[in-house]
Amino acid sequence: MSTAADLAHADDPHAHGNPAHLAHHFDTPAQQFTTNKLGMWTFLATEVLMFGGLFCAYSVYRYNHPQVYLWAHNALDPFWGMVNTIVLLASSFTMAWGVRAAQLNQRGLLQIMLTLTFLGGVVFMCVKAVEYKAKWQHFLFPGEFNSLNAEFKGRDGKSPSEARAITIEEVEHEAHLRSGAEPASAEGGEHAAPATETEVKPVQHTQNSADVKSGAAEHAAGTAPTEASKEPPIALQAIGTVVTAPDLGNESAAIVPPTMMASGTNSKVDEKVGHHLTTYSELEPLDKSQLQTFFSIYFMMTGLHGIHVLVGMGLMVWLFLRASAGQFTSQYFAPVDLVGLYWHLVDLIWIFLFPLLYLIH
């Protein structure tokens, strides 16, 4: 006759020699491992869907306001983005090595790899702190606190116009330094760089030689055109608006980007990469009002990604403590493998964020 104790003993899978890590609702370790991995892949799929919505928002806003993103991305430093990319790639390598160490019963190596992966997360978050600090100093936030927003109230004793001018000047100065072009004043004021061959002043369509001569005199301010100015810069041979170029002294036409025609201000052409560096003054009023949208998407995507990095760092600590207790062997390493999959997804998301936010052209 069976007693209650015998029945309980019979229902316990561990009573029949099964491993201690085998949960009671699984028949075999292989079944448990397969189920756990399927659950992790399902979770990662939901993560992809969540970030996918943000990527869609990015794509829509960039398509509708391309000049906004071309200008605003200059506020991001590609150097720090590249550093974080290298750090995450290295941490993915150490994480994969840690999984292999767990499979080979190398407890010490597993602990070392988990520590290095954790330190990679620390470096990544420190770099993000440096980047976020720069945005804080320039008042580049989502919403009304953005210094480029017309409703900005001003902070730290700076008037709205003063804060905006400082931000614009520093952003465009850094952009020209990175491109190798001469820096120009943000607003084209008294400190603006002198006109060069790569600068073109927009003019109206001319109908006859008299108008051409008049426009040439106004453009050159009484200075006769030189031989170098008789040919339009090659960098300006792009799709744009065809206008009569007074520098040529004839009816020949030069191709000028549309933003030059609309702005009424001098424009810079990046001689190094051959694309036009849009200035703040060249942006349409609607585009200027959408600058805060770029930083909203930037903080949402990088901030959410940063939270995932912090979660991964916490998981590294959890794995390290369990590894120190000798809980992972060649027969049981599923937690290390699953956390590794999560960390690789965090790395993969950043691989997409870096070029989309930092390397826009």
Side-chain angles (χ1 to χ4, degrees), residues 71 168-176 184-186 278-281:
W71 188 91
I168 295 170
E169 182 176 3
E170 292 185 355
V171 168
E172 295 186 352
H173 178 74
E174 290 296 326
H176 284 98
S185 173
T278 303
T279 62
Y280 181 81
S281 59

Side-chain angles (χ1 to χ4, degrees), residues 172-335:
E172 295 186 352
H173 178 74
E174 290 296 326
H176 284 98
L177 288 180
R178 293 178 194 136
S179 67
E182 292 293 331
S185 173
E187 297 292 345
E190 60 181 357
H191 300 293
T196 63
E197 290 184 11
T198 58
E199 296 184 5
V200 175
K201 187 173 182 180
V203 296
Q204 300 297 327
H205 289 272
T206 54
Q207 302 297 331
N208 50 55
S209 59
D211 293 334
V212 172
K213 294 179 180 179
S214 175
E218 179 182 354
H219 178 74
T223 303
T226 61
E227 292 296 328
S229 64
K230 291 184 179 180
E231 294 295 333
I234 298 178
L236 297 182
Q237 305 290 339
I239 298 176
T241 303
V242 180
V243 298
T244 301
D247 292 339
L248 305 181
N250 53 39
E251 294 290 343
S252 300
I255 306 299
V256 182
T259 52
M260 296 184 184
M261 291 295 297
S263 64
T265 59
N266 289 343
S267 306
K268 277 287 184 179
V269 173
D270 185 349
E271 297 174 336
K272 184 176 181 180
V273 296
H275 71 275
H276 174 62
L277 294 181
T278 303
T279 62
Y280 181 81
S281 59
E282 291 177 328
L283 295 176
E284 298 293 337
L286 179 60
D287 286 339
K288 292 179 181 179
S289 66
Q290 291 294 324
L291 281 170
Q292 58 182 318
T293 304
F294 172 88
F295 294 101
S296 297
I297 294 177
Y298 165 78
F299 278 105
M300 175 62 72
M301 299 184 79
T302 59
L304 185 60
H305 179 266
I307 293 176
H308 281 72
V309 173
L310 291 175
V311 171
M313 292 168 61
L315 292 174
M316 297 303 161
V317 175
W318 174 66
L319 291 177
F320 183 88
L321 295 177
R322 294 191 62 180
S324 301
Q327 297 183 14
F328 301 131
T329 64
S330 59
Q331 301 300 319
Y332 178 64
F333 55 88

Side-chain angles (χ1 to χ4, degrees), residues 84 87-88 115-129 309-310 313 343:
N84 269 346
V87 167
L88 280 187
T115 301
L116 292 177
T117 306
F118 176 84
L119 293 177
V122 171
V123 173
F124 181 91
M125 295 307 299
C126 288
V127 172
K128 294 309 299 180
V309 173
L310 291 175
M313 292 168 61
W343 192 256

